[in-house]
Amino acid sequence: MQNLTKKILAALLLGVIVGLILNFVPDNFFGALDTYILNPIGQVFLNLITMLVVPIVFISIALGTASLKDPVQLGRIGGKTIGFYLITTTIALVIGLGLAYLIQPGQEGAFDTQSANFEAEEAPPIMDTLLNIIPDNPVNAMAEAEMLQIIAIAIFFGIALAKLGDKTAGLHRLLEQGNEVMMFLVNVVMFTAPYGAFALIASAIGDAGVEGLQQMLMYMITIILGLLLHALVTYSIAIKGLGKASPIQFYKNFFPAMTVAFSTSSSSGTLPISMRTAQERLGISKSVSSFVQPLGATINMDGTAIMQAVATVFIAQVYGAELGLSQLVMVVLTATLASIGTAGVPGVGLIMLSMVLQQVGLPVEGIALILGVDRLLDMLRTALNITGDATCAYIIDRSEKNKENTTETA
């Protein structure tokens, strides 16, 4: 794993260099290179890890739920998980808003707002999302990779396995063997990670362009500072205070998964690697990791929350609009609720941002101003998102183990 991490980092660095060089070659050459080499290599890597997500999520959550046995324990872990995610998302939004007002990345008249155009997709109402957690067709839910629905199916399946006990011992064993197969395939797929990482970062930087990066520099710096601050302060305090562990050691052990998340820009796509890393290198129990991390990959969006807060203030500054205290509070409330209401929706970050902008009366077309660098920032915020998932899993795992030890002592 250590050697593989070094290879991925080297591939990312080489990808950055190649991406910058590609900004100085003719457009038709870059277009051909991106279409026939970079994009296919990156897409093959993404497809390889994405094909493992649905079976891994179903098998791991079913096994994790079955191993918990006690529905009260399942409810307790679920409550802690959702509570942690909502609190850290709120903190992330406050950090984003604070940095945006401190740094002031947007200037009125600095950008061409006349030609800005963006079609906002409709997000489903929160109640619809909650009702749709229970699928009417489990096979269709798995075919379309509806993560919340797959999690619900797996939980019911796991509860049934736990209640039936010896009657379903063969099926339980089959799932355990299936889990072994999935973990083996994850190891195989990871050998392609350096090539996929190189292609994805080179393509992203080549697309953004040096001029676009320069123009959006302060916006990017603000978001990157927000992501770092949230990781180094919020998560570190949680790991040290609640998990009773060294944040440095935690990040060192989880770093391989973070590099893959950076490459793929997909929390769900990185799930097989992040779960394996959490279990093997952080010592998180399979039962907790199997429940907390898949749920986090669907509803935990701290990195996206920071982007939304900064982007909202940035767009307001560019358009010369003033946001009052009540509007800032509305940004926090809307984005926090939207993180659940838009769970699993493709392009979720931009949909959530459009909801926030509409709520505070800012033009949705302003999103077009940030699209050029969003792919690069998405890589960074995905790395933060999965780190938050692992942090939550680590803290809950330690609290459950302490509870078990206390019970045994009593």
Side-chain angles (χ1 to χ4, degrees), residues 96-407:
L97 289 172
L99 285 175
Y101 274 103
L102 182 66
I103 297 174
Q104 304 247 339
Q107 292 182 4
E108 188 176 357
F111 296 86
D112 179 16
T113 57
Q114 296 299 318
S115 59
N117 186 38
F118 181 79
E119 290 290 328
E121 291 185 48
E122 278 291 320
I126 293 177
M127 187 53 67
D128 285 0
T129 302
L130 296 175
L131 290 174
N132 288 334
I133 288 175
I134 309 298
D136 55 8
N137 186 335
V139 175
N140 191 57
M142 291 191 178
E144 296 185 3
E146 295 285 350
M147 296 307 296
L148 281 178
Q149 295 184 354
I150 293 168
I151 290 169
I153 298 165
I155 289 173
F156 282 123
F157 200 84
I159 290 172
L161 285 177
K163 289 296 182 183
L164 293 170
D166 292 340
K167 292 180 181 179
T168 55
L171 184 55
H172 194 284
R173 178 62 184 149
L174 180 64
L175 285 176
E176 288 178 336
Q177 291 172 334
N179 191 55
E180 292 296 326
V181 171
M182 289 297 108
M183 290 302 106
F184 173 80
L185 291 176
V186 168
N187 287 330
V188 172
V189 169
M190 281 304 294
F191 284 110
T192 68
Y195 308 102
F198 165 78
L200 290 167
I201 190 69
S203 176
I205 291 180
D207 266 339
V210 172
E211 188 178 332
L213 293 175
Q214 288 175 337
Q215 193 176 26
M216 298 294 291
L217 184 61
M218 293 311 294
Y219 170 76
M220 294 174 68
I221 287 173
T222 307
I223 290 181
I224 292 168
L225 281 176
L227 298 174
L228 287 172
L229 196 60
H230 196 54
L232 299 177
V233 178
T234 309
Y235 291 158
S236 294
I237 289 174
I239 293 164
K240 185 69 175 176
L242 301 175
K244 309 298 180 186
S246 164
I248 295 173
Q249 199 63 35
F250 178 94
Y251 291 128
K252 182 182 177 182
N253 288 331
F254 195 64
F255 191 69
M258 295 166 69
T259 60
V260 176
F262 179 81
S263 306
T264 63
S265 300
S266 170
S267 296
S268 296
T270 313
L271 196 53
I273 291 92
S274 62
M275 286 174 59
R276 189 193 68 169
T277 307
Q279 292 167 19
E280 293 180 1
R281 294 172 66 91
L282 296 177
I284 300 172
S285 64
K286 285 186 179 180
S287 57
V288 172
S289 167
S290 300
F291 181 84
V292 174
Q293 288 181 273
L295 186 60
T298 310
I299 68 170
N300 180 41
M301 302 177 190
D302 289 358
T304 305
I306 289 170
M307 178 276 285
Q308 291 166 349
V310 174
T312 300
V313 176
F314 172 79
I315 291 168
Q317 290 170 351
V318 169
Y319 280 88
E322 289 288 333
L323 294 177
L325 180 60
S326 61
Q327 289 174 303
L328 295 178
V329 172
M330 191 59 67
V331 169
V332 174
L333 290 175
T334 305
T336 303
L337 292 174
S339 67
I340 297 175
T342 54
V345 178
V348 62
L350 296 179
I351 291 175
M352 288 169 67
L353 180 56
S354 68
M355 290 171 64
V356 172
L357 293 177
Q358 289 169 354
Q359 196 67 39
V360 296
L362 290 173
V364 175
E365 292 77 15
I367 295 176
L369 300 175
I370 64 171
L371 283 179
V373 295
D374 191 65
R375 175 74 172 82
L376 287 171
L377 294 173
D378 194 19
M379 292 173 150
L380 289 166
R381 59 182 187 251
T382 302
L384 182 78
N385 287 344
I386 68 153
T387 305
D389 300 341
T391 301
C392 181
Y394 187 86
I395 290 167
I396 290 175
D397 186 56
R398 291 299 174 270
S399 71
E400 289 299 308
K401 285 175 180 174
N402 289 338
K403 192 174 183 64
E404 286 173 11
N405 294 334
T406 305
T407 304

